[in-house]
Amino acid sequence: MGSKMSLNLLKHYQKEVAEGQIQENPEQVHVLKVLDESWQQATKRSIFPWRRHALKSIHVYIYGSVGSGKTMMMDMFYQAIPGDKKARYHFHHFLEQIAQSLKALQGEKDPMKQIVKELAKQYQVVCLDEMMVQDVVQAMLLRELLPELMEQEVMLVLTSNIAPQDLYLNGLQRERFMTVIEHLQTYAHVMSLNLLTDYRSERLPMPEKTYLVQKDLLPLFKSYAKHMKQDIIFDTVLEVQNRQIPVKAITESMVWFDFENISEIPRCQRDYLEIASRFKMVFISQLRPFKESDSSSVILWIYLIDVFYDSHTKLVLESAANMEELYLQGPMAEPFKRTLSRMHEMQSQWYWDI
């Protein structure tokens, strides 16, 4: 019965290797085996719910260095799952939806239980990419959410650059967050996936014109507007999340911001999610290097890149510095490595062809 429920992930992986799309790696093979086995366990639980406590864990947590193939493994798994009882989110987008649902249920009894039960009705599998806990609000939300979610018949697959024991390291009230770490370590298959090569860096480089150092973006903005046959409105405001943001220029499918208006407080992740849903291309000028003390701006920039990357939003940047000089040191230096890698990927030809 198990073979009938298999997703045959290794067969698909070996086909990609044979075609030269990827290089075979034993660690990736192991991850795919665990994902396939966990899927089979999850399927058995749905068929034989009375056996759930006798079966192995169905949750998977994959962590490793930037470019090690974590997201590729998760996406290969997700695409192989039949039917529509599945969901894939960027981790922060998922938390944002949970927070909005909690707000809508404010005043009701056990709102988190209601939310989790509804998720369990809709999905058999939930994939969450790039787990990273950055503040006490996220930490306490996860403290309430994750144990409830892992108790349901929903298979969770999470990717992260960070091992479970290092999540929210040195964070405020971290002792209260430890229950999240304990649940991950106890109820999930935790696997490390570390490679020396960042596969995103090997992809085709983007055309040089999409990252400009101290050059005017206006000619490029005008050329894209002309190509798409769209009128330009200059020096206006854009309403996002019921707040006005100054913009240098806007068309039906493009918008141009100065850095200080898009990546500094009071901007938030909800703003980026709405912008990504409304525009195909985003131009940002006057991007400046981050200082060591610029943690809030760095976090917002990480959010921005993650949201735009996940939605395939095309990004054109003008900066006072080369990309590798944007953030040389500070408390967010480690997670910013992933952001740089994604920025490089977003400027490759294949990304622009999506």
Side-chain angles (χ1 to χ4, degrees):
M1 188 169 187
S3 60
K4 290 182 180 179
M5 289 186 286
S6 172
L7 297 174
N8 295 313
L9 296 178
L10 286 183
K11 184 177 180 181
H12 177 68
Y13 180 82
Q14 288 159 358
K15 180 175 181 288
E16 295 275 304
V17 171
E19 293 175 352
Q21 299 296 318
I22 55 176
Q23 292 181 327
E24 185 168 4
N25 181 277
E27 291 186 358
Q28 293 178 345
V29 170
H30 176 62
V31 167
L32 290 177
K33 284 181 178 178
V34 172
L35 283 169
D36 207 335
E37 290 171 2
S38 298
W39 159 258
Q40 293 179 54
Q41 295 296 334
T43 306
K44 287 178 183 178
R45 285 190 179 193
S46 64
I47 297 173
F48 310 114
W50 59 87
R51 293 181 57 197
R52 59 175 299 196
H53 295 296
L55 295 171
K56 297 177 183 177
S57 172
I58 60 173
H59 310 298
V60 180
Y61 183 99
I62 310 165
Y63 74 95
S65 57
V66 171
S68 58
K70 303 181 298 294
T71 299
M72 181 175 69
M73 297 296 98
M74 187 182 73
D75 285 346
M76 195 175 289
F77 165 72
Y78 181 79
Q79 290 162 11
I81 299 169
D84 58 2
K85 294 201 70 175
K86 59 182 181 179
R88 183 202 183 283
Y89 296 94
H90 186 274
F91 180 75
H92 292 298
H93 189 179
F94 180 71
L95 283 194
E96 184 64 36
Q97 289 196 0
I98 297 297
Q100 289 178 355
S101 297
L102 281 173
K103 187 176 181 180
L105 294 171
Q106 194 170 13
E108 296 195 22
K109 184 180 179 181
D110 294 328
M112 186 63 80
K113 287 184 182 292
Q114 292 185 46
I115 292 167
V116 169
K117 284 182 180 179
E118 186 60 33
L119 283 171
K121 287 180 184 177
Q122 293 182 56
Y123 306 119
Q124 186 177 4
V125 180
V126 174
C127 296
L128 303 175
D129 193 27
E130 301 289 5
M131 181 176 184
M132 183 169 62
V133 187
Q134 294 170 315
D135 57 47
V136 68
V137 175
Q138 291 181 350
M140 294 305 103
L141 180 61
L142 279 170
R143 181 177 182 270
E144 191 178 356
L145 168 67
L146 200 69
E148 286 282 348
L149 199 53
M150 295 185 86
E151 280 294 310
Q152 297 296 319
E153 303 301 323
V154 180
M155 177 181 175
L156 287 180
V157 179
L158 305 103
T159 72
S160 179
N161 292 348
I162 304 167
Q165 65 270 21
D166 294 329
L167 287 168
Y168 195 49
L169 199 61
N170 302 319
L172 189 65
Q173 299 183 35
R174 189 174 190 258
E175 66 281 357
R176 298 183 63 198
F177 180 75
M178 291 304 296
T179 184
V180 174
I181 294 174
E182 290 164 4
H183 270 75
L184 289 171
Q185 292 175 327
T186 305
Y187 301 112
H189 297 283
V190 177
M191 292 177 293
S192 172
L193 186 56
N194 292 290
L195 301 177
L196 296 177
T197 304
D198 184 341
Y199 289 110
R200 295 198 287 257
S201 299
E202 290 186 336
R203 291 167 176 162
L204 292 173
M206 78 154 216
E208 184 181 353
K209 64 183 181 181
T210 55
Y211 188 94
L212 303 165
V213 178
Q214 295 182 335
K215 291 186 179 178
D216 189 3
L217 294 184
L218 183 58
L220 191 57
F221 192 92
K222 284 183 173 180
S223 69
Y224 275 110
K226 183 178 180 181
H227 174 74
M228 292 186 278
K229 299 179 181 179
Q230 295 179 1
D231 295 329
I232 303 173
I233 301 174
F234 291 100
D235 299 319
T236 184
V237 294
L238 175 69
E239 186 166 308
V240 177
Q241 295 292 314
N242 299 314
R243 293 178 299 195
Q244 292 188 336
I245 305 176
V247 298
K248 293 179 71 68
I250 192 170
T251 73
E252 181 181 343
S253 58
M254 300 190 302
V255 63
W256 177 4
F257 302 97
D258 271 339
F259 170 77
E260 65 178 11
N261 293 321
I262 196 61
S263 191
E264 295 187 356
I265 295 172
R267 298 283 73 77
C268 65
Q269 190 187 25
R270 289 192 298 273
D271 297 339
Y272 305 144
L273 291 167
E274 182 174 334
I275 290 166
S277 71
R278 292 170 59 181
F279 298 97
K280 294 179 180 179
M281 291 181 64
V282 175
F283 288 65
I284 299 175
S285 54
Q286 298 183 14
L287 173 61
R288 57 168 178 77
F290 297 98
K291 300 175 184 176
E292 188 173 352
S293 59
D294 285 340
S295 293
S296 59
S297 291
V298 172
I299 290 171
L300 285 171
W301 187 254
I302 290 173
Y303 283 161
L304 182 149
I305 293 298
D306 282 345
V307 169
F308 288 177
Y309 174 90
D310 210 43
S311 62
H312 305 304
T313 302
K314 306 304 182 285
L315 188 61
V316 180
L317 302 170
E318 182 274 323
S319 175
N322 293 320
M323 194 183 301
E324 307 303 329
E325 300 170 343
L326 286 176
Y327 189 51
L328 298 177
Q329 60 182 0
M332 299 301 295
E334 195 60 34
F336 198 80
K337 291 179 182 178
R338 180 204 64 185
T339 299
L340 276 181
S341 182
R342 287 195 156 186
M343 287 172 68
H344 279 295
E345 181 174 4
M346 292 170 78
Q347 297 180 43
S348 64
Q349 187 65 56
W350 78 266
Y351 180 91
W352 278 68
D353 288 341
I354 294 174

